[in-house]
Amino acid sequence: MPRTADQILEESFLDVRAKLLAVAATLDRIDRAAEQTGGLSEAQVNRRAQVDAAIEICVGDGPDRAEKLQRLFSRTYQPEWRTTMHL
Amino acid sequence: MDYIDPHIHMVSRITDDYATLARMGCVAMSEPAFWAGFDRGSVDGFRDYFHQLTDVEPRRAAQYGIQHFTWLCINAKEAENVSLSRDVIAMIPEFLDKPNVLGIGEIGLNKNTKNEATIFLEHLDLAVEYNQLILIHTPHLEDKYQGTRMILDMLCSDSRIDPSRVLVDHVEEHTIGEVLDRGFWAGMTLYPVTKCTPERSADMIERFGGERLLANSAGDWGPSKPTAVPDLIFEMRRRGLSESLIRKVVYGNPIEFFSKSENFRFVERDSGEAGSLS
């Protein structure tokens, strides 16, 4: 008998709450440091934007958020790699 | 529950880990050749390593009732040194008749470079020539998707390769589907931070079923947990998944895949009969 959505949320709620708090606190920490020591470098601005995009995926609909996050954090597949590498 | 860890690097573990694994139900394991935490400088360094994998570790495991199997190769990180890699590939046949060798692995890609791909293809030639099973490492993090696709491109464009004799390891949510769809076996690595948690692995089992799917701990020199497979068993039980599905993933599937190697002479604890699944 598969678990119901209610059961899964009940079992996972505190764990999800803790993980969301950890993310929120990390973003706060980055912002505080940016205020005190200057903003993010260009490379880190891109990473920060990736985090925002990941959060948007999490609040979106659909059962495949984990796969979408994985693709967000992946380099794009270059199908012509063999030609590029002369292999 | 008896289980098999199909991918664990015991040369990196202390003897107490063997005892702990035995207490947790581990009855067999397979150890792919991999990076040792440093780049080795000569083919003799690898010869000593292969001696460790084919002679020392099986004896260490046997003290705790665990059957130890292994795979041989030069790993993707050290494959950047093409000359050394070719020397190692030429030396591997010295060890292919050792009784615990299941095949060539873990070959693959690390940073998806030309040198890595070149040596990967030469390992495929070796595996075909000696009719060996193949175990494949896929890259980490942002390189995993491209690297996995490159590996599948190389495997699928080689008509000599039988997908049912290849295990593609370290799959995650964005790579598992294509690996299974193309007929390969897929391995999920339960590893802190960079790979899969037991919860996410159980999610993938729920989504894809248990067919051609294995789970391992990696248990290597980095941050890792050698008892991660029992953690997955616990998570699957917690979700109410069937005992038959759990047993298939952590025991039946490794036996089915490894049995494609003539060297897999597994003695089941229950029956004492080699290779029996009853």
Side-chain angles (χ1 to χ4, degrees), chain A residues 1-3 8 11-12 15 19 47 63-68 70-71 73-79 81-82 84-87, chain B residues 111-114 117-118 121 141-146 149-151 153-154 157 172-174 195 200 206-207 235 238-240:
Chain A
M1 182 71 180
R3 290 178 305 162
I8 294 170
E11 288 168 11
S12 313
D15 185 42
K19 287 172 178 165
R47 276 195 149 167
D64 56 351
R65 295 180 188 86
E67 183 174 346
K68 286 177 180 167
Q70 291 277 20
R71 288 182 185 269
F73 291 121
S74 297
R75 293 205 171 95
T76 308
Y77 171 58
Q78 306 292 331
W81 67 270
R82 268 188 125 137
T84 311
M85 288 185 182
H86 305 290
L87 198 68
Chain B
K111 291 296 179 187
N112 305 333
T113 67
K114 180 179 180 178
T118 298
L121 291 168
L141 300 172
E142 69 269 22
D143 294 313
K144 181 179 293 295
Y145 187 68
Q146 165 81 4
R149 293 289 301 268
M150 287 172 65
I151 286 165
D153 288 348
M154 288 186 276
S157 65
E172 294 183 55
E173 290 88 347
H174 53 326
K195 294 189 179 79
R200 284 171 47 217
E206 287 178 340
R207 286 191 66 186
E235 174 63 20
R238 201 174 69 83
R239 296 182 183 201

Short mmCIF file of all heavy atoms in Angstrom, two decimals, chain A residues 1-3 8 11-12 15 19 47 63-68 70-71 73-79 81-82 84-87, chain B residues 111-114 117-118 121 141-146 149-151 153-154 157 172-174 195 200 206-207 235 238-240:
data_model
loop_
_atom_site.label_atom_id
_atom_site.label_comp_id
_atom_site.label_asym_id
_atom_site.label_seq_id
_atom_site.Cartn_x
_atom_site.Cartn_y
_atom_site.Cartn_z
N MET A 1 0.86 -1.20 0.00
CA MET A 1 0.00 0.00 0.00
C MET A 1 0.89 1.25 0.00
O MET A 1 1.64 1.46 0.95
CB MET A 1 -0.89 -0.03 1.25
CG MET A 1 -1.86 1.14 1.37
SD MET A 1 -3.19 1.04 0.15
CE MET A 1 -4.10 2.51 0.55
N PRO A 2 0.86 2.05 -1.08
CA PRO A 2 1.73 3.24 -1.09
C PRO A 2 1.29 4.26 -0.04
O PRO A 2 0.12 4.35 0.30
CB PRO A 2 1.53 3.79 -2.51
CG PRO A 2 0.26 3.20 -3.00
CD PRO A 2 0.05 1.91 -2.29
N ARG A 3 2.26 5.00 0.45
CA ARG A 3 1.94 6.03 1.44
C ARG A 3 1.14 7.14 0.77
O ARG A 3 1.35 7.45 -0.40
CB ARG A 3 3.23 6.61 2.03
CG ARG A 3 3.97 5.62 2.92
CD ARG A 3 5.24 6.22 3.44
NE ARG A 3 6.07 6.69 2.32
CZ ARG A 3 7.07 7.55 2.45
NH1 ARG A 3 7.35 8.04 3.63
NH2 ARG A 3 7.77 7.93 1.41
N ILE A 8 3.31 11.42 3.70
CA ILE A 8 4.66 11.83 3.31
C ILE A 8 4.96 13.23 3.83
O ILE A 8 6.04 13.50 4.38
CB ILE A 8 4.83 11.76 1.77
CG1 ILE A 8 4.73 10.31 1.30
CG2 ILE A 8 6.17 12.36 1.35
CD1 ILE A 8 4.65 10.15 -0.21
N GLU A 11 5.49 13.15 7.60
CA GLU A 11 6.79 12.59 7.97
C GLU A 11 7.94 13.53 7.61
O GLU A 11 8.97 13.56 8.28
CB GLU A 11 7.02 11.26 7.23
CG GLU A 11 6.17 10.12 7.73
CD GLU A 11 6.23 8.92 6.79
OE1 GLU A 11 7.08 8.92 5.88
OE2 GLU A 11 5.41 8.01 6.96
N SER A 12 7.77 14.30 6.52
CA SER A 12 8.90 15.07 5.98
C SER A 12 8.92 16.52 6.46
O SER A 12 9.91 17.22 6.24
CB SER A 12 8.83 15.10 4.45
OG SER A 12 8.61 13.85 3.94
N ASP A 15 11.84 17.94 8.51
CA ASP A 15 13.09 17.85 7.75
C ASP A 15 13.13 18.94 6.67
O ASP A 15 14.15 19.63 6.51
CB ASP A 15 13.18 16.45 7.12
CG ASP A 15 14.50 16.22 6.42
OD1 ASP A 15 15.54 16.63 6.97
OD2 ASP A 15 14.49 15.65 5.32
N LYS A 19 15.68 22.19 6.32
CA LYS A 19 16.50 22.43 5.12
C LYS A 19 16.21 23.81 4.53
O LYS A 19 17.13 24.51 4.08
CB LYS A 19 16.26 21.34 4.08
CG LYS A 19 16.90 20.01 4.47
CD LYS A 19 16.52 18.88 3.56
CE LYS A 19 17.25 17.61 3.99
NZ LYS A 19 16.67 16.39 3.39
N ARG A 47 26.35 32.35 -9.96
CA ARG A 47 25.97 31.23 -9.09
C ARG A 47 24.75 31.60 -8.24
O ARG A 47 23.86 30.78 -8.03
CB ARG A 47 27.14 30.89 -8.16
CG ARG A 47 28.14 29.98 -8.79
CD ARG A 47 29.02 29.41 -7.73
NE ARG A 47 29.48 28.08 -8.11
CZ ARG A 47 30.45 27.43 -7.51
NH1 ARG A 47 31.08 28.00 -6.49
NH2 ARG A 47 30.80 26.24 -7.89
N PRO A 63 6.06 16.83 -11.02
CA PRO A 63 6.67 15.81 -10.19
C PRO A 63 8.18 15.65 -10.43
O PRO A 63 8.80 14.80 -9.80
CB PRO A 63 5.94 14.54 -10.63
CG PRO A 63 5.65 14.80 -12.07
CD PRO A 63 5.48 16.28 -12.24
N ASP A 64 8.75 16.44 -11.34
CA ASP A 64 10.15 16.18 -11.73
C ASP A 64 11.06 17.35 -11.36
O ASP A 64 11.97 17.70 -12.11
CB ASP A 64 10.24 15.88 -13.23
CG ASP A 64 9.64 16.99 -14.08
OD1 ASP A 64 9.02 17.91 -13.49
OD2 ASP A 64 9.80 16.96 -15.30
N ARG A 65 10.82 17.95 -10.19
CA ARG A 65 11.64 19.10 -9.78
C ARG A 65 13.11 18.70 -9.60
O ARG A 65 14.01 19.49 -9.94
CB ARG A 65 11.12 19.71 -8.49
CG ARG A 65 9.72 20.31 -8.61
CD ARG A 65 9.32 20.89 -7.26
NE ARG A 65 7.93 21.31 -7.24
CZ ARG A 65 6.91 20.50 -6.97
NH1 ARG A 65 7.12 19.22 -6.73
NH2 ARG A 65 5.68 20.97 -6.96
N ALA A 66 13.36 17.51 -9.05
CA ALA A 66 14.75 17.09 -8.82
C ALA A 66 15.50 17.00 -10.14
O ALA A 66 16.66 17.46 -10.25
CB ALA A 66 14.78 15.75 -8.08
N GLU A 67 14.86 16.41 -11.16
CA GLU A 67 15.53 16.31 -12.46
C GLU A 67 15.76 17.70 -13.06
O GLU A 67 16.82 17.97 -13.63
CB GLU A 67 14.69 15.45 -13.41
CG GLU A 67 15.38 15.25 -14.75
CD GLU A 67 14.64 14.30 -15.67
OE1 GLU A 67 13.74 13.58 -15.19
OE2 GLU A 67 14.97 14.27 -16.86
N LYS A 68 14.78 18.59 -12.90
CA LYS A 68 14.96 19.95 -13.42
C LYS A 68 16.12 20.66 -12.72
O LYS A 68 16.90 21.38 -13.36
CB LYS A 68 13.66 20.75 -13.24
CG LYS A 68 12.56 20.37 -14.20
CD LYS A 68 11.30 21.17 -13.90
CE LYS A 68 10.18 20.81 -14.86
NZ LYS A 68 8.87 21.34 -14.41
N GLN A 70 18.72 19.20 -11.39
CA GLN A 70 19.96 18.58 -11.88
C GLN A 70 20.37 19.19 -13.22
O GLN A 70 21.55 19.47 -13.46
CB GLN A 70 19.76 17.07 -12.05
CG GLN A 70 19.59 16.31 -10.75
CD GLN A 70 20.92 15.98 -10.08
OE1 GLN A 70 21.94 16.60 -10.37
NE2 GLN A 70 20.90 15.01 -9.19
N ARG A 71 19.40 19.40 -14.09
CA ARG A 71 19.73 19.97 -15.41
C ARG A 71 20.16 21.43 -15.26
O ARG A 71 21.04 21.89 -15.98
CB ARG A 71 18.52 19.85 -16.34
CG ARG A 71 18.29 18.42 -16.79
CD ARG A 71 17.13 18.32 -17.76
NE ARG A 71 16.84 16.95 -18.10
CZ ARG A 71 17.37 16.30 -19.13
NH1 ARG A 71 18.23 16.90 -19.91
NH2 ARG A 71 17.05 15.04 -19.37
N PHE A 73 21.83 22.68 -12.87
CA PHE A 73 23.20 22.69 -12.36
C PHE A 73 24.18 21.93 -13.26
O PHE A 73 25.31 21.66 -12.85
CB PHE A 73 23.23 22.11 -10.93
CG PHE A 73 22.57 22.97 -9.90
CD1 PHE A 73 21.51 22.52 -9.14
CD2 PHE A 73 23.03 24.27 -9.67
CE1 PHE A 73 20.90 23.33 -8.18
CE2 PHE A 73 22.43 25.09 -8.72
CZ PHE A 73 21.37 24.62 -7.98
N SER A 74 23.75 21.57 -14.45
CA SER A 74 24.61 20.81 -15.38
C SER A 74 25.07 21.68 -16.54
O SER A 74 24.34 22.56 -17.00
CB SER A 74 23.84 19.62 -15.97
OG SER A 74 23.47 18.71 -14.98
N ARG A 75 26.26 21.37 -17.06
CA ARG A 75 26.68 21.97 -18.34
C ARG A 75 25.79 21.41 -19.44
O ARG A 75 25.35 20.26 -19.38
CB ARG A 75 28.14 21.61 -18.63
CG ARG A 75 29.09 22.26 -17.66
CD ARG A 75 30.48 22.43 -18.25
NE ARG A 75 31.28 23.25 -17.36
CZ ARG A 75 32.10 22.75 -16.43
NH1 ARG A 75 32.23 21.44 -16.31
NH2 ARG A 75 32.78 23.55 -15.64
N THR A 76 25.57 22.21 -20.46
CA THR A 76 24.71 21.77 -21.56
C THR A 76 25.43 20.72 -22.41
O THR A 76 26.63 20.84 -22.68
CB THR A 76 24.37 22.98 -22.46
OG1 THR A 76 23.86 24.01 -21.61
CG2 THR A 76 23.31 22.62 -23.50
N TYR A 77 24.69 19.69 -22.79
CA TYR A 77 25.26 18.64 -23.63
C TYR A 77 25.61 19.20 -25.01
O TYR A 77 24.78 19.86 -25.64
CB TYR A 77 24.23 17.51 -23.76
CG TYR A 77 24.58 16.45 -24.77
CD1 TYR A 77 25.77 15.73 -24.68
CD2 TYR A 77 23.71 16.13 -25.80
CE1 TYR A 77 26.09 14.75 -25.60
CE2 TYR A 77 24.01 15.14 -26.72
CZ TYR A 77 25.20 14.45 -26.61
OH TYR A 77 25.51 13.48 -27.53
N GLN A 78 26.83 18.93 -25.44
CA GLN A 78 27.28 19.36 -26.77
C GLN A 78 27.33 18.12 -27.66
O GLN A 78 28.29 17.35 -27.61
CB GLN A 78 28.70 19.97 -26.68
CG GLN A 78 28.84 21.11 -25.69
CD GLN A 78 28.08 22.35 -26.10
OE1 GLN A 78 27.89 22.59 -27.29
NE2 GLN A 78 27.62 23.13 -25.14
N PRO A 79 26.29 17.90 -28.48
CA PRO A 79 26.23 16.64 -29.25
C PRO A 79 27.36 16.48 -30.26
O PRO A 79 27.67 15.37 -30.68
CB PRO A 79 24.87 16.70 -29.94
CG PRO A 79 24.44 18.12 -29.87
CD PRO A 79 25.12 18.75 -28.70
N TRP A 81 30.46 16.83 -29.76
CA TRP A 81 31.72 16.77 -29.01
C TRP A 81 32.80 15.97 -29.73
O TRP A 81 33.98 16.32 -29.67
CB TRP A 81 31.48 16.21 -27.61
CG TRP A 81 31.05 14.77 -27.57
CD1 TRP A 81 29.77 14.29 -27.62
CD2 TRP A 81 31.91 13.62 -27.49
NE1 TRP A 81 29.77 12.92 -27.58
CE2 TRP A 81 31.06 12.48 -27.50
CE3 TRP A 81 33.28 13.44 -27.42
CZ2 TRP A 81 31.56 11.19 -27.44
CZ3 TRP A 81 33.78 12.15 -27.35
CH2 TRP A 81 32.92 11.04 -27.37
N ARG A 82 32.40 14.92 -30.44
CA ARG A 82 33.42 14.07 -31.11
C ARG A 82 34.11 14.86 -32.21
O ARG A 82 35.33 14.73 -32.40
CB ARG A 82 32.77 12.81 -31.69
CG ARG A 82 32.82 11.66 -30.72
CD ARG A 82 32.35 10.39 -31.37
NE ARG A 82 33.37 9.37 -31.24
CZ ARG A 82 33.11 8.10 -30.93
NH1 ARG A 82 31.87 7.69 -30.75
NH2 ARG A 82 34.08 7.22 -30.82
N THR A 84 34.39 18.19 -32.31
CA THR A 84 35.17 19.23 -31.64
C THR A 84 36.50 18.68 -31.13
O THR A 84 37.54 19.33 -31.21
CB THR A 84 34.37 19.81 -30.45
OG1 THR A 84 33.07 20.14 -30.90
CG2 THR A 84 35.06 21.03 -29.87
N MET A 85 36.46 17.46 -30.62
CA MET A 85 37.68 16.86 -30.04
C MET A 85 38.52 16.13 -31.09
O MET A 85 39.55 15.56 -30.76
CB MET A 85 37.31 15.86 -28.94
CG MET A 85 36.81 16.48 -27.67
SD MET A 85 36.53 15.22 -26.42
CE MET A 85 35.88 16.21 -25.08
N HIS A 86 38.02 16.09 -32.33
CA HIS A 86 38.71 15.32 -33.39
C HIS A 86 38.91 13.87 -32.95
O HIS A 86 40.00 13.31 -33.04
CB HIS A 86 40.06 15.96 -33.74
CG HIS A 86 39.94 17.40 -34.14
ND1 HIS A 86 39.36 17.82 -35.32
CD2 HIS A 86 40.28 18.55 -33.49
CE1 HIS A 86 39.36 19.13 -35.39
NE2 HIS A 86 39.92 19.61 -34.30
N LEU A 87 37.84 13.27 -32.46
CA LEU A 87 37.94 11.91 -31.93
C LEU A 87 37.00 11.00 -32.71
O LEU A 87 35.81 11.16 -32.67
CB LEU A 87 37.56 11.92 -30.46
CG LEU A 87 37.98 10.72 -29.65
CD1 LEU A 87 39.49 10.66 -29.50
CD2 LEU A 87 37.34 10.78 -28.27
N LYS B 111 36.56 14.85 -16.32
CA LYS B 111 36.32 16.22 -16.78
C LYS B 111 35.94 16.27 -18.26
O LYS B 111 35.99 17.33 -18.88
CB LYS B 111 37.56 17.08 -16.51
CG LYS B 111 37.82 17.33 -15.03
CD LYS B 111 36.68 18.14 -14.41
CE LYS B 111 36.89 18.37 -12.92
NZ LYS B 111 35.70 19.00 -12.30
N ASN B 112 35.63 15.12 -18.81
CA ASN B 112 35.12 15.02 -20.20
C ASN B 112 36.14 15.53 -21.22
O ASN B 112 35.80 16.23 -22.17
CB ASN B 112 33.80 15.79 -20.35
CG ASN B 112 32.76 15.34 -19.36
OD1 ASN B 112 32.78 14.20 -18.91
ND2 ASN B 112 31.83 16.23 -19.00
N THR B 113 37.42 15.16 -21.05
CA THR B 113 38.46 15.63 -21.96
C THR B 113 38.71 14.62 -23.08
O THR B 113 38.29 13.46 -23.01
CB THR B 113 39.79 15.83 -21.21
OG1 THR B 113 40.27 14.53 -20.78
CG2 THR B 113 39.61 16.73 -19.99
N LYS B 114 39.46 15.09 -24.08
CA LYS B 114 39.81 14.22 -25.20
C LYS B 114 40.65 13.02 -24.73
O LYS B 114 40.43 11.89 -25.17
CB LYS B 114 40.57 15.02 -26.26
CG LYS B 114 40.98 14.20 -27.46
CD LYS B 114 41.72 15.01 -28.49
CE LYS B 114 42.10 14.13 -29.68
NZ LYS B 114 42.77 14.90 -30.74
N ALA B 117 38.47 10.47 -23.05
CA ALA B 117 37.65 9.74 -24.02
C ALA B 117 38.50 8.74 -24.81
O ALA B 117 38.06 7.61 -25.09
CB ALA B 117 36.96 10.72 -24.96
N THR B 118 39.72 9.15 -25.17
CA THR B 118 40.62 8.25 -25.90
C THR B 118 40.90 6.98 -25.11
O THR B 118 40.81 5.86 -25.63
CB THR B 118 41.95 8.99 -26.19
OG1 THR B 118 41.67 10.13 -27.01
CG2 THR B 118 42.95 8.08 -26.90
N LEU B 121 37.87 4.65 -24.81
CA LEU B 121 37.68 3.82 -26.01
C LEU B 121 38.68 2.66 -26.04
O LEU B 121 38.33 1.54 -26.46
CB LEU B 121 37.81 4.69 -27.26
CG LEU B 121 36.68 5.71 -27.47
CD1 LEU B 121 37.05 6.71 -28.57
CD2 LEU B 121 35.37 5.01 -27.82
N LEU B 141 28.80 16.22 -10.46
CA LEU B 141 28.25 17.59 -10.46
C LEU B 141 27.93 18.10 -11.87
O LEU B 141 27.26 17.41 -12.63
CB LEU B 141 29.22 18.52 -9.71
CG LEU B 141 29.44 18.10 -8.24
CD1 LEU B 141 30.55 18.92 -7.61
CD2 LEU B 141 28.16 18.20 -7.44
N GLU B 142 28.43 19.31 -12.22
CA GLU B 142 28.00 19.92 -13.48
C GLU B 142 28.51 19.18 -14.71
O GLU B 142 28.00 19.41 -15.82
CB GLU B 142 28.44 21.40 -13.54
CG GLU B 142 29.94 21.63 -13.67
CD GLU B 142 30.62 21.77 -12.32
OE1 GLU B 142 30.05 21.30 -11.32
OE2 GLU B 142 31.72 22.35 -12.28
N ASP B 143 29.49 18.29 -14.54
CA ASP B 143 30.02 17.53 -15.68
C ASP B 143 29.28 16.22 -15.92
O ASP B 143 29.52 15.54 -16.92
CB ASP B 143 31.51 17.23 -15.46
CG ASP B 143 32.35 18.50 -15.48
OD1 ASP B 143 32.15 19.32 -16.40
OD2 ASP B 143 33.18 18.69 -14.58
N LYS B 144 28.40 15.83 -14.98
CA LYS B 144 27.80 14.49 -15.08
C LYS B 144 26.93 14.33 -16.34
O LYS B 144 27.02 13.32 -17.02
CB LYS B 144 26.97 14.16 -13.84
CG LYS B 144 26.35 12.76 -13.91
CD LYS B 144 25.56 12.39 -12.69
CE LYS B 144 26.41 12.24 -11.48
NZ LYS B 144 27.35 11.10 -11.59
N TYR B 145 26.10 15.32 -16.62
CA TYR B 145 25.16 15.14 -17.73
C TYR B 145 25.90 14.99 -19.06
O TYR B 145 25.70 14.04 -19.81
CB TYR B 145 24.16 16.30 -17.78
CG TYR B 145 23.08 16.07 -18.79
CD1 TYR B 145 22.13 15.06 -18.60
CD2 TYR B 145 23.01 16.83 -19.95
CE1 TYR B 145 21.14 14.82 -19.54
CE2 TYR B 145 22.02 16.59 -20.89
CZ TYR B 145 21.09 15.59 -20.68
OH TYR B 145 20.12 15.34 -21.62
N GLN B 146 26.79 15.95 -19.34
CA GLN B 146 27.55 15.89 -20.59
C GLN B 146 28.39 14.60 -20.65
O GLN B 146 28.44 13.92 -21.68
CB GLN B 146 28.47 17.12 -20.71
CG GLN B 146 29.57 17.02 -21.75
CD GLN B 146 29.11 17.32 -23.17
OE1 GLN B 146 27.95 17.67 -23.38
NE2 GLN B 146 30.00 17.18 -24.13
N ARG B 149 26.27 11.50 -21.28
CA ARG B 149 25.84 11.46 -22.69
C ARG B 149 27.00 11.07 -23.61
O ARG B 149 26.83 10.32 -24.57
CB ARG B 149 25.26 12.81 -23.11
CG ARG B 149 23.95 13.19 -22.43
CD ARG B 149 22.78 12.33 -22.92
NE ARG B 149 22.55 12.44 -24.34
CZ ARG B 149 21.71 13.30 -24.93
NH1 ARG B 149 21.02 14.15 -24.17
NH2 ARG B 149 21.55 13.33 -26.24
N MET B 150 28.20 11.60 -23.33
CA MET B 150 29.37 11.23 -24.14
C MET B 150 29.64 9.72 -24.03
O MET B 150 29.92 9.05 -25.03
CB MET B 150 30.62 12.01 -23.68
CG MET B 150 30.62 13.48 -24.07
SD MET B 150 31.98 14.41 -23.30
CE MET B 150 33.43 13.65 -24.05
N ILE B 151 29.56 9.21 -22.81
CA ILE B 151 29.81 7.78 -22.60
C ILE B 151 28.77 6.95 -23.35
O ILE B 151 29.11 5.96 -24.03
CB ILE B 151 29.79 7.47 -21.08
CG1 ILE B 151 31.08 8.00 -20.43
CG2 ILE B 151 29.63 5.98 -20.82
CD1 ILE B 151 31.03 8.08 -18.93
N ASP B 153 27.10 7.87 -25.96
CA ASP B 153 27.41 8.01 -27.39
C ASP B 153 28.47 6.99 -27.81
O ASP B 153 28.34 6.33 -28.86
CB ASP B 153 27.94 9.42 -27.69
CG ASP B 153 26.86 10.50 -27.62
OD1 ASP B 153 25.67 10.14 -27.57
OD2 ASP B 153 27.22 11.69 -27.60
N MET B 154 29.53 6.89 -27.00
CA MET B 154 30.63 5.99 -27.37
C MET B 154 30.20 4.53 -27.31
O MET B 154 30.54 3.73 -28.18
CB MET B 154 31.85 6.24 -26.47
CG MET B 154 32.55 7.55 -26.76
SD MET B 154 34.09 7.81 -25.83
CE MET B 154 33.47 8.46 -24.29
N SER B 157 27.62 3.65 -30.18
CA SER B 157 28.12 3.67 -31.56
C SER B 157 29.08 2.50 -31.82
O SER B 157 29.64 2.39 -32.91
CB SER B 157 28.83 5.00 -31.84
OG SER B 157 29.98 5.11 -31.02
N GLU B 172 22.00 9.68 -11.55
CA GLU B 172 21.13 10.52 -10.72
C GLU B 172 19.86 10.81 -11.52
O GLU B 172 19.65 10.25 -12.60
CB GLU B 172 21.86 11.79 -10.29
CG GLU B 172 23.03 11.50 -9.34
CD GLU B 172 23.71 12.77 -8.84
OE1 GLU B 172 23.02 13.64 -8.29
OE2 GLU B 172 24.94 12.88 -9.03
N GLU B 173 19.05 11.72 -11.01
CA GLU B 173 17.72 11.93 -11.58
C GLU B 173 17.76 12.29 -13.06
O GLU B 173 16.84 11.95 -13.82
CB GLU B 173 16.98 13.04 -10.82
CG GLU B 173 16.57 12.68 -9.39
CD GLU B 173 17.65 12.97 -8.37
OE1 GLU B 173 18.83 13.21 -8.76
OE2 GLU B 173 17.33 12.96 -7.16
N HIS B 174 18.80 13.01 -13.50
CA HIS B 174 18.84 13.49 -14.88
C HIS B 174 19.56 12.54 -15.83
O HIS B 174 19.63 12.82 -17.03
CB HIS B 174 19.50 14.87 -14.95
CG HIS B 174 20.85 14.96 -14.30
ND1 HIS B 174 21.21 14.26 -13.18
CD2 HIS B 174 21.94 15.70 -14.62
CE1 HIS B 174 22.44 14.56 -12.84
NE2 HIS B 174 22.91 15.42 -13.70
N LYS B 195 26.50 13.00 -4.67
CA LYS B 195 25.77 12.01 -5.47
C LYS B 195 24.34 11.86 -4.92
O LYS B 195 23.56 12.80 -5.01
CB LYS B 195 26.54 10.71 -5.54
CG LYS B 195 27.85 10.85 -6.32
CD LYS B 195 28.53 9.54 -6.59
CE LYS B 195 29.81 9.73 -7.39
NZ LYS B 195 30.95 10.17 -6.55
N ARG B 200 16.62 9.90 -2.01
CA ARG B 200 16.51 10.15 -3.45
C ARG B 200 16.65 8.84 -4.25
O ARG B 200 16.02 8.66 -5.30
CB ARG B 200 17.54 11.18 -3.90
CG ARG B 200 17.14 12.62 -3.48
CD ARG B 200 18.24 13.62 -3.73
NE ARG B 200 18.84 13.50 -5.02
CZ ARG B 200 20.15 13.68 -5.27
NH1 ARG B 200 20.97 14.03 -4.30
NH2 ARG B 200 20.61 13.53 -6.48
N GLU B 206 11.19 3.99 -6.85
CA GLU B 206 9.73 4.08 -6.97
C GLU B 206 9.33 4.50 -8.39
O GLU B 206 8.33 4.04 -8.92
CB GLU B 206 9.18 5.08 -5.95
CG GLU B 206 9.20 4.55 -4.52
CD GLU B 206 8.70 5.56 -3.50
OE1 GLU B 206 8.68 6.77 -3.80
OE2 GLU B 206 8.33 5.13 -2.40
N ARG B 207 10.11 5.38 -8.99
CA ARG B 207 9.76 5.90 -10.32
C ARG B 207 10.10 4.91 -11.44
O ARG B 207 9.36 4.77 -12.40
CB ARG B 207 10.48 7.22 -10.60
CG ARG B 207 9.91 8.39 -9.82
CD ARG B 207 10.47 9.70 -10.31
NE ARG B 207 10.04 10.00 -11.68
CZ ARG B 207 10.48 11.02 -12.38
NH1 ARG B 207 11.38 11.84 -11.87
NH2 ARG B 207 10.05 11.24 -13.60
N GLU B 235 15.35 2.86 4.48
CA GLU B 235 14.45 3.85 3.89
C GLU B 235 13.34 3.19 3.08
O GLU B 235 12.18 3.60 3.14
CB GLU B 235 15.26 4.82 3.01
CG GLU B 235 14.43 5.83 2.23
CD GLU B 235 13.63 6.80 3.11
OE1 GLU B 235 13.97 6.95 4.29
OE2 GLU B 235 12.65 7.38 2.60
N ARG B 238 10.88 1.70 5.44
CA ARG B 238 10.12 2.77 6.08
C ARG B 238 8.96 3.23 5.19
O ARG B 238 7.90 3.60 5.67
CB ARG B 238 11.06 3.95 6.38
CG ARG B 238 10.59 4.90 7.45
CD ARG B 238 11.66 5.94 7.75
NE ARG B 238 11.85 6.87 6.66
CZ ARG B 238 11.10 7.95 6.45
NH1 ARG B 238 10.12 8.23 7.26
NH2 ARG B 238 11.35 8.75 5.44
N ARG B 239 9.19 3.16 3.87
CA ARG B 239 8.15 3.57 2.93
C ARG B 239 7.15 2.47 2.64
O ARG B 239 6.20 2.67 1.89
CB ARG B 239 8.78 4.00 1.60
CG ARG B 239 9.66 5.21 1.71
CD ARG B 239 10.21 5.60 0.36
NE ARG B 239 11.12 6.73 0.49
CZ ARG B 239 11.44 7.54 -0.51
NH1 ARG B 239 10.93 7.33 -1.71
NH2 ARG B 239 12.26 8.54 -0.32
N GLY B 240 7.39 1.29 3.17
CA GLY B 240 6.48 0.18 2.93
C GLY B 240 6.69 -0.52 1.60
O GLY B 240 5.80 -1.24 1.13
#
